[in-house]
Amino acid sequence: MFKKVLIANRGEIALRIICACKELDIPTVAVYSEADRHSLHTRFADEAVCIGPARSRESYLNIPAIISAAEITNVDAIHPGYGYLAENADFAEVCETCGLQFIGPSSKVIDLMGDKARAREAMKEAGLPLVPGSGMIATDADPKEVAARAEEVGYPLIVKAVAGGGGRGMRIVKTPDKLGGAVETARSEAENAFGNGELYLERYLIDPRHIEFQVLADTHGNTLHLGERECSIQRRHQKLLEESPSPGVSAEVRDQLGRRVASAVAEIGYTNAGTVEFLFDQQGNYYFIEMNTRIQVEHPVTEMVTGIDIIKEQIRVAAGQPLRFSQDDVVISGHAIECRINAECPVSFTPSPGDITAYHAPGGPGIRVDSMAYTGNVVSPHYDSMVAKLVAHGGDRHEAISRIRRALDMFVIEGIKTTIPLHRKIVSHPDFVEGRLSTSFLEQIAIEKKG
């Protein structure tokens, strides 16, 4: 096992990794910007190193500073969490070159899956069905060529950046006359966010479900899945609420597709934790869209229904240990729902940074809260707006919904605006209760409100 792990991240995911390391008796090193000097992850890690000023994102993207922090604290492994450098193949390669174990897949696989156009082709060869789409479109592609590819894909379509994620560099195009502007906007956004303006086109499915499968793979040839998560409730391609299992996936489809996913992941030589994402159309057909080569924000719902600590498994796998269970040992028990509580206006979604003047996390049976917040904590305008992840587990979906409602009513966060009122509305909506979900769910609520 590792003698010391550096966490190249901040906030609640850094705390989550610290918890896993403490249970494995591994000392931890936190890195922080000046804005996070008093954050909980710097307080609870065994050591903490400042890596830069309080500028937006820059400090946590500073690879030389992070590697220097690892060297001066004599760590032998780095966990990237999610976001920032978690899916950065160059960072993983630097870790490998410096003799530091990157707790995640190899840089080669990150590079392959990070290019969504190449990832589509790799998964197609591995046997997964794809949404109709184009190959990679270079930044200097002739507009006529782009238009011709769009006609082949068919309208409506979505323009996507080959790199990155989180809804950046994505634009929906319903008619040919809107294609040029959408390509230009998506390319500019992708270049600013990821330093890569290459795009591809994909058929836009009407009102699909967004379903993802959690996978784990070790270096001894063992690859398995931990079931699926429903991630359909989104705003501008940003997930707001997730649950496992999906109310729209049968046990038969779960087993069938899950095993296909595990086989495809093994075929590309993947190791560690990852997530394979699909769109399900209204007829129940499913299509691969992308793979995230990291731990996901919503991993707690899978942990709650399987009893498997995914972060600890990541660390064990990276240390060369085999998975301690087989596919037949994975049992889905009950139902779990996660609400992402963001420091945002619940109506306009404008950021709401500031001082938290009062904070009380709910408790009771089946409730879990992953958060970096506390009374007196400052929500910085420099970083992501997520304040907490509220998770409820129940014996079935009905009980999980009852518990998440109770927990939302008992969650106290004052001094800033949060999305708690929106989540209360979502989990009380008849379509949510009945499991009638799609990626247009939130827009439908807005339409009903206007009506």
Side-chain angles (χ1 to χ4, degrees):
M1 185 48 69
F2 302 119
K3 62 183 179 183
K4 192 185 294 187
V5 170
L6 181 143
I7 303 158
N9 218 296
R10 64 181 297 278
E12 56 81 21
I13 187 58
L15 287 176
R16 173 70 186 86
I17 297 165
I18 289 170
C19 289
C21 287
K22 283 183 177 293
E23 293 182 20
L24 292 170
D25 295 321
I26 303 172
T28 53
V29 176
V31 293
Y32 66 93
S33 74
E34 287 290 351
D36 284 335
R37 180 173 291 277
H38 302 293
S39 292
L40 293 182
H41 78 287
T42 68
R43 184 179 303 179
F44 293 137
D46 296 287
E47 301 173 64
V49 179
C50 182
I51 54 172
R55 292 196 300 268
S56 177
R57 295 178 59 85
E58 291 181 16
S59 294
Y60 293 98
L61 291 170
N62 189 334
I63 294 176
I66 291 171
I67 296 298
S68 294
E71 291 177 344
I72 64 174
T73 55
N74 198 30
V75 307
D76 51 355
I78 294 181
H79 197 307
Y82 50 69
Y84 295 121
L85 298 171
E87 293 181 285
N88 187 307
D90 291 338
F91 179 56
E93 185 175 10
V94 168
C95 290
E96 294 162 1
T97 302
C98 294
L100 298 164
Q101 180 62 51
F102 181 82
I103 301 178
S106 69
S107 58
K108 181 180 178 180
V109 173
I110 294 174
D111 183 59
L112 172 63
M113 291 292 105
D115 183 323
K116 293 182 176 61
R118 291 172 60 210
R120 281 169 52 90
E121 291 305 310
M123 286 306 195
K124 181 180 179 180
E125 291 179 8
L128 294 182
L130 305 181
V131 177
S134 72
M136 187 269 290
I137 296 173
T139 55
D140 59 351
D142 187 311
K144 292 182 179 179
E145 176 191 349
V146 177
R149 293 202 193 185
E151 290 296 330
E152 292 176 3
V153 171
Y155 291 91
L157 58 79
I158 186 165
V159 180
K160 286 188 173 184
V162 299
R168 298 180 181 89
M170 298 173 67
R171 288 295 182 275
I172 297 170
V173 184
K174 296 182 178 180
T175 57
D177 59 303
K178 304 294 184 182
L179 179 64
V183 167
E184 184 177 340
T185 302
R187 177 172 291 140
S188 175
E189 190 171 279
E191 287 175 343
N192 290 332
F194 316 122
N196 184 346
E198 294 173 343
L199 308 170
Y200 70 102
L201 308 178
E202 188 175 85
R203 177 79 58 80
Y204 181 67
L205 302 181
I206 305 298
D207 296 336
R209 301 181 89 107
H210 187 142
I211 305 294
E212 62 186 26
F213 274 77
Q214 176 71 59
V215 295
L216 282 173
D218 63 25
T219 57
H220 301 268
N222 304 304
T223 305
L224 50 81
H225 73 89
L226 304 182
E228 85 287 355
R229 296 186 287 254
E230 173 86 51
C231 303
S232 297
I233 299 181
Q234 306 175 8
R235 175 185 175 269
R236 296 181 180 175
H237 308 289
Q238 295 275 8
K239 300 167 187 174
L240 296 178
L241 180 150
E242 302 92 358
E243 57 183 305
S244 183
S246 165
V249 175
S250 67
E252 181 181 2
V253 171
R254 176 177 306 115
D255 181 67
Q256 178 192 72
L257 181 54
R259 291 181 185 275
R260 289 183 69 181
V261 166
S263 175
V265 167
E267 190 164 324
I268 65 170
Y270 194 90
T271 57
N272 215 269
T275 308
V276 183
E277 307 206 4
F278 294 87
L279 292 180
F280 278 53
D281 67 19
Q282 295 179 1
Q283 290 72 46
N285 302 307
Y286 48 79
Y287 307 94
F288 169 80
I289 52 172
E290 65 183 11
M291 182 176 189
N292 290 303
T293 56
R294 55 174 168 79
I295 194 69
Q296 293 277 88
V297 176
E298 58 272 19
H299 75 274
V301 292
T302 298
E303 293 184 329
M304 297 293 268
V305 297
T306 62
I308 293 171
D309 188 320
I310 300 174
I311 304 293
K312 290 198 319 195
E313 292 305 320
Q314 278 193 293
I315 296 169
R316 290 189 178 106
V317 166
Q321 297 181 10
L323 293 172
R324 299 173 302 156
F325 44 87
S326 68
Q327 187 66 67
D328 292 339
D329 295 324
V330 178
V331 177
I332 307 298
S333 177
H335 199 94
I337 300 171
E338 174 180 304
C339 293
R340 300 189 189 190
I341 309 302
N342 295 332
E344 297 173 347
C345 172
V347 177
S348 66
F349 294 100
T350 54
S352 179
D355 295 349
I356 296 177
T357 58
Y359 179 85
H360 171 75
I367 299 301
R368 167 177 169 177
V369 180
D370 287 13
S371 179
M372 55 80 179
Y374 58 91
T375 299
N377 180 216
V378 177
V379 177
S380 171
H382 298 300
Y383 306 115
D384 186 87
S385 64
M386 190 167 65
V387 176
K389 300 188 305 194
L390 173 63
V391 188
H393 178 261
D396 54 27
R397 190 168 185 267
H398 175 75
E399 185 172 56
I401 291 174
S402 297
R403 286 179 170 175
I404 201 76
R405 288 176 179 170
R406 166 179 62 79
L408 286 164
D409 288 341
M410 297 176 69
F411 210 149
V412 177
I413 305 176
E414 297 179 357
I416 59 172
K417 295 178 181 179
T418 74
T419 52
I420 288 176
L422 173 63
H423 283 291
R424 288 196 189 108
K425 183 174 182 179
I426 291 171
V427 300
S428 298
H429 195 279
D431 284 348
F432 178 81
V433 174
E434 295 300 320
R436 295 189 293 266
L437 307 178
S438 76
T439 54
S440 62
F441 179 91
L442 205 61
E443 287 80 358
Q444 189 62 40
I445 289 181
I447 291 170
E448 291 176 359
K449 183 177 179 180
K450 291 178 182 178

